[in-house]
Amino acid sequence: MTVVTDSEKLTCVGSAMGFSEGETIEADGIYVDHSVYGRQFKIDSLRSVAPSDMISVLRYLGSGAITGIGEKLAQRIVDRFGDDTLRVMEEEPERLSEVKGISARMARSITDQMLEKKNERSAMIFMQQYGLSQNLIVKLYDKYGDGLYNIIRNNPYKMVEDVPSVGFRTADEIAVKAGIETDSEYRIRSGIIYVLQQMAYLGHCFIPEEILYENTLKLLSLSGESIREIFEMQEEALAIDRQIIIRINEKGGKNIYLGSFDSMERFCAHRLKELRDTFTPYEDTEPAKSGDIVLDELQERAVKECLSNGVFILSGGPGTGKTTTINEIIRRLDEQEISFALAAPTGRAAKRMTETTGYEAQTIHRLLEISGDIESADKKLFYGRNEENPLEVETVIIDETSMLDIYLLRALLEALEPGTQLILVGDVDQLPSVGPGQVLKDIMDSDAFATVRLNRIYRQAGESHIISYAHMINNGKHIDLSVKYPDFFLLEKEDPGTVQQYLVQLCAKVLPGRNGITAGDIQILTPMRKGPLGVEHLNEMLQKYLNPPSDEKLETLYGNTIFREGDRVMQIKNDYNLEWEVRGHYNVSIREGKGVFNGDTGVAEEINTALRLMKVVFDDGRTVYYPFEKLEELELAYAVTIHKSQGSEYPVVILPLLSGPPMLMNRNLLYTGVTRARQCVIIVGSGSCVMNMIDTDSEQHRYTSLKERICEL
């Protein structure tokens, strides 16, 4: 056992949420030697222990753990009662009034707090046997109070439904320790919901019953015909409660939906048809006379189709003239004084849309005026614009529509009243959304709405190897990597260590300063999160070389990640309540709002250890101050996954490609990675790996039924 005193320092890594400054803690774990940061203590579990000496008691009371007691008053209390302080506070609290500055009323308040914390402390002691964090135990106690004991003993799976921080696996571990049977109806019921939720994370809106059954049994480590009967009973019970929806498919089997997905797909199909059928066509004005916009025959047809239809889809790969076509559509709308709004799923995509059109574009979240509590039961509180308060424009144009998931499509369509025109622009060959659904593909495949797919590569675009190679990749054709073109080349390397060295050299020394390239212009995109070429390891390594420790840069440790001033960071979950502001000249706030979203990237400009805040300035100009406890929502972004890069564009993209999970190493992923680059693509790794990806047209199938819902109407 190691005791750390005030004069010593020990770097611990792991989560310490739920503890206050001044608390005495015991930690279980192991010592590890970090390749960058040296000797550390890796925490497996933490627990609060009662202070046992005067110094510890003074530190605990002075930390603010008890409302009304600050450092000076804590000192007077300890000076008066010494080692007997805690006993007096719990057993003879009236004696606290012997201390100068404490009235009888204040003594009673302190007593109440001590009693309240004593009950909570008892719950913590009881729950520690289940290996839960202090932070989670506090949340559970706040939810259930003394009823927590019955929940644990009888049905810990209820916590999954009631407390967002509790996942199935946590509840399952508690259930095992509490002696609950492995074939418990509660366990199977909770397992079914968990599997459906996990499938949604993979992009599915439903799954066939047999796949659900197989995955549930695998999750629960169960087998046997008796389990099938319990499974079907619980499936039926969940359907009665409307937690799941069961639909018979064309083969007579069952498709199982989480209840929300079935209703979302049906609503979206109905609203899209309604927008199509209630639209009054706009006037078809003359094409632009100036040389600024010149359309070919297919582009002109796209403009005419757009002006005539309430729902219009414009698709096409890079260099096929989507931007030119959209600019002409906008010109004709503007000419007729038709009000319109431009939006995209991410801040980067919205910023690029603003630059290419000359009109302000915003994120869909901001367009819909997101607000409210993320855990509110009334999901409409998420958005200020909805069916009761629709958008007040005649046309809405959405770019990068391949990124739309079913959640965001539903929210958007709720905010469009009948008669509003919706124009969807995107590349259907890009990766589908990170969230559930394949919105653009399903809408296009339904053949129910006017669609033009641009396919001609323009001469200037054709001179770019990025664009020409992207189209070859998309068509399954091998590209020539034997020649190092200025805008596209391969550095053939055979092992991860050498690839890592070259990534550092390119980012730190070779590229910055060449042809006007800055360090911020370079983005490493990788297929995976784990492994030597995954984002987790690469970010740790790149931070060491690109933003090393410095006496002039403050830093803070959260979990296993060190955040340092100057770091590139990314938001990794939607947070609808984080406040942001945009500052103009003289640092004056010109706009403010709420909401930072999964995939938003920026720079950690300032860390204030006294206030426990980190200032992040995002690429679209928004400034956010993160409390340290919110740093779990951020990760380093020197390297990001190709999936996370959707909707973004970078001057220089570096792709480390050697090998990876077969489900990731495919044509679709390579195409998306290449098309993120504006000036140059550098592949560091194996040419044969690149060719294998081009040959592998095995994008994971998604179970969605938006297309079928549209066709039914």
Side-chain angles (χ1 to χ4, degrees):
M1 180 177 180
T2 301
V3 178
V4 182
T5 66
D6 286 347
S7 61
E8 298 174 297
K9 282 188 177 180
L10 175 64
T11 300
C12 299
V13 292
S15 176
M17 293 179 68
F19 293 95
S20 305
E21 183 178 343
E23 282 192 76
T24 303
I25 62 169
E26 287 181 354
D28 296 325
I30 58 172
Y31 284 98
V32 295
D33 290 314
H34 194 280
S35 58
V36 178
Y37 304 111
R39 190 164 177 77
Q40 299 176 335
F41 187 75
K42 187 175 181 181
I43 296 171
D44 291 327
S45 64
L46 278 174
R47 57 196 160 274
S48 179
V49 296
S52 58
D53 57 75
M54 284 179 60
I55 293 175
S56 297
V57 170
L58 177 61
R59 187 184 298 123
Y60 174 69
L61 293 178
S63 70
I66 304 297
T67 303
I69 299 180
E71 291 183 14
K72 292 182 179 179
L73 186 54
Q75 184 69 61
R76 292 202 296 271
I77 294 172
V78 172
D79 287 346
R80 176 71 181 84
F81 299 113
D83 289 337
D84 209 25
T85 298
L86 281 186
R87 187 198 65 77
V88 169
M89 293 180 76
E90 290 186 353
E91 297 178 13
E92 301 178 83
E94 67 279 357
R95 291 186 60 195
L96 287 173
S97 58
E98 298 173 16
V99 178
K100 182 181 178 182
I102 298 182
S103 65
R105 177 184 294 178
M106 187 175 179
R108 286 194 297 273
S109 171
I110 293 171
T111 302
D112 291 342
Q113 291 184 64
M114 292 296 288
L115 288 173
E116 183 180 334
K117 288 182 178 291
K118 188 174 183 179
N119 291 338
E120 188 173 298
R121 194 153 48 241
S122 297
M124 287 183 177
I125 292 170
F126 172 76
M127 292 298 290
Q128 278 174 8
Q129 64 185 299
Y130 300 107
L132 303 183
S133 70
Q134 297 290 105
N135 189 46
L136 182 53
I137 295 172
V138 170
K139 287 183 179 180
L140 291 171
Y141 189 79
D142 287 346
K143 174 67 179 177
Y144 299 115
D146 291 338
L148 177 60
Y149 304 101
N150 286 331
I151 293 287
I152 294 297
R153 294 187 181 107
N154 298 322
N155 180 19
Y157 299 101
K158 186 169 180 8
M159 297 188 301
V160 181
E161 301 174 22
D162 296 342
V163 183
S165 304
V166 180
F168 171 81
R169 293 190 182 279
T170 298
D172 205 38
E173 289 175 8
I174 293 171
V176 169
K177 292 176 180 177
I180 292 174
E181 295 294 330
T182 57
D183 61 352
S184 153
E185 293 181 359
Y186 291 133
R187 184 169 188 252
I188 292 175
R189 180 187 179 102
S190 188
I192 291 171
I193 295 295
Y194 178 76
V195 170
L196 286 169
Q197 290 169 340
Q198 294 304 301
M199 287 296 183
Y201 293 140
L202 296 176
H204 304 295
C205 291
F206 73 87
I207 48 175
E209 184 187 44
E210 283 307 310
I211 295 178
L212 175 61
Y213 178 66
E214 291 168 9
N215 279 272
T216 303
L217 263 61
K218 184 177 179 181
L219 169 73
L220 304 179
S221 300
L222 296 174
S223 61
E225 275 305 308
S226 60
I227 300 301
R228 180 85 201 203
E229 186 177 340
I230 301 174
F231 172 88
E232 290 177 349
M233 286 175 59
Q234 293 310 306
E235 190 180 69
E236 186 176 332
L238 287 167
I240 291 172
D241 291 344
R242 303 293 291 178
Q243 288 185 261
I244 67 171
I245 301 295
I246 302 174
R247 300 211 174 274
I248 305 301
N249 60 39
E250 56 189 16
K251 296 180 180 179
K254 295 178 181 178
N255 292 338
I256 314 298
Y257 299 74
L258 285 172
S260 57
F261 287 116
D262 178 71
S263 62
M264 280 191 286
E265 285 192 334
R266 288 184 172 277
F267 172 82
C268 291
H270 181 270
R271 181 54 57 86
L272 285 167
K273 178 180 181 295
E274 189 175 33
L275 293 176
R276 182 194 68 184
D277 295 345
T278 57
F279 176 70
T280 302
Y282 297 140
E283 181 184 346
D284 185 8
T285 60
E286 288 297 313
K289 295 286 194 273
S290 71
D292 293 341
I293 300 179
V294 179
L295 305 182
D296 66 17
E297 186 178 338
L298 187 57
Q299 289 173 317
E300 182 59 39
R301 181 165 76 82
V303 175
K304 290 180 180 293
E305 292 268 349
C306 176
L307 295 172
S308 303
N309 288 276
V311 177
F312 174 72
I313 300 99
L314 179 67
S315 185
T320 57
K322 291 196 304 294
T323 298
T324 300
T325 307
I326 284 299
N327 282 340
E328 175 62 7
I329 290 169
I330 290 173
R331 189 194 68 80
R332 297 196 196 183
L333 294 175
D334 205 19
E335 193 175 77
Q336 297 182 58
E337 298 184 349
I338 295 166
S339 60
F340 58 87
L342 308 180
T346 67
R348 267 185 174 268
K351 183 179 180 182
R352 196 170 76 248
M353 195 180 189
T354 298
E355 294 167 351
T356 57
T357 64
Y359 291 84
E360 184 188 1
Q362 53 195 317
T363 62
I364 299 173
H365 295 93
R366 190 173 145 225
L367 176 72
L368 300 180
E369 300 174 11
I370 197 152
S371 61
D373 184 353
I374 188 170
E375 294 177 7
S376 166
D378 182 1
K379 302 301 182 186
K380 288 185 180 177
L381 288 180
F382 282 9
Y383 300 99
R385 294 293 181 174
N386 49 48
E387 286 181 288
E388 285 76 40
N389 184 31
L391 291 166
E392 296 171 357
V393 292
E394 294 165 276
T395 292
V396 174
I397 304 174
I398 305 295
D399 198 8
E400 295 288 354
T401 315
S402 61
M403 297 180 66
L404 277 182
D405 61 22
I406 195 68
Y407 294 119
L408 201 49
L409 178 67
R410 190 273 307 271
L412 174 66
L413 292 176
E414 281 186 336
L416 303 182
E417 60 183 346
T420 306
Q421 183 188 40
L422 177 62
I423 301 171
L424 302 175
V425 185
D427 183 354
V428 75
D429 295 315
Q430 298 279 5
L431 287 169
S433 58
V434 175
Q438 47 187 6
V439 165
L440 183 60
K441 185 176 188 301
D442 278 354
I443 293 174
M444 289 178 65
D445 287 352
S446 73
D447 292 326
F449 307 100
T451 301
V452 172
R453 187 165 183 171
L454 302 177
N455 50 30
R456 174 184 169 186
I457 304 175
Y458 283 86
R459 185 187 62 80
Q460 187 176 358
E463 293 171 357
S464 160
H465 288 90
I466 296 173
I467 290 175
S468 60
Y469 278 11
H471 284 274
M472 289 177 67
I473 291 167
N474 195 38
N475 292 323
K477 297 178 181 178
H478 284 195
I479 57 179
D480 183 4
L481 294 176
S482 64
V483 180
K484 287 181 170 57
Y485 294 105
D487 64 343
F488 202 118
F489 60 91
L490 165 73
L491 297 175
E492 184 79 42
K493 306 299 165 192
E494 297 180 355
D495 66 274
T498 306
V499 172
Q500 291 169 4
Q501 292 173 17
Y502 270 79
L503 294 179
V504 170
Q505 291 296 315
L506 287 167
C507 293
K509 297 180 180 179
V510 177
L511 294 175
R514 180 171 295 187
N515 298 324
I517 294 171
T518 67
D521 291 333
I522 305 164
Q523 183 62 61
I524 294 174
L525 302 181
T526 179
M528 63 214 103
R529 292 196 58 82
K530 303 290 185 182
L533 297 181
V535 292
E536 294 177 2
H537 182 77
L538 289 181
N539 275 320
E540 192 175 280
M541 179 195 72
L542 289 163
Q543 183 194 46
K544 176 183 175 182
Y545 291 99
L546 301 182
N547 190 29
S550 165
D551 292 340
E552 298 177 358
K553 294 180 179 179
L554 292 177
E555 61 184 48
T556 186
L557 177 69
Y558 187 89
N560 294 323
T561 302
I562 288 179
F563 291 103
R564 184 174 297 127
E565 289 176 340
D567 276 336
R568 186 137 190 83
V569 296
M570 173 183 280
Q571 179 82 7
I572 57 172
K573 62 181 287 189
N574 289 340
D575 189 323
Y576 301 91
N577 296 314
L578 263 179
E579 296 181 351
W580 54 261
E581 63 178 356
V582 175
R583 293 186 171 270
H585 294 300
Y586 308 109
N587 205 31
V588 175
S589 179
I590 57 177
R591 195 169 69 244
E592 56 188 33
K594 284 186 177 183
V596 183
F597 306 104
N598 191 354
D600 288 351
T601 54
V603 174
E605 285 201 350
E606 183 182 330
I607 293 174
N608 189 320
T609 53
L611 297 178
R612 296 179 57 79
L613 292 173
M614 186 166 86
K615 174 185 175 183
V616 175
V617 178
F618 285 95
D619 296 335
D620 58 4
R622 290 172 302 154
T623 296
V624 177
Y625 289 88
Y626 283 80
F628 279 5
E629 58 268 22
K630 283 270 190 181
L631 293 183
E632 64 178 351
E633 299 183 6
L634 292 171
E635 68 180 16
L636 298 176
Y638 297 101
V640 302
T641 63
I642 294 174
H643 275 90
K644 287 281 191 182
S645 74
Q646 286 177 264
S648 298
E649 192 176 75
Y650 314 94
V652 179
V653 164
I654 303 176
L655 298 168
L657 300 174
L658 270 182
S659 61
M663 65 180 292
L664 288 178
M665 308 303 284
N666 58 46
R667 182 189 305 167
N668 195 225
L669 191 94
L670 179 62
Y671 173 74
T672 300
V674 166
T675 54
R676 298 307 89 207
R678 191 162 62 241
Q679 296 175 20
C680 181
V681 171
I682 303 171
I683 298 174
V684 185
S686 164
S688 61
C689 174
V690 175
M691 299 310 163
N692 287 336
M693 291 179 76
I694 294 172
D695 291 338
T696 306
D697 186 18
S698 63
E699 181 190 348
Q700 184 186 17
H701 173 73
R702 289 193 172 196
Y703 290 107
T704 67
S705 52
L706 179 60
K707 172 190 169 183
E708 286 72 23
R709 298 290 170 261
I710 293 170
C711 292
E712 286 173 5
L713 296 173

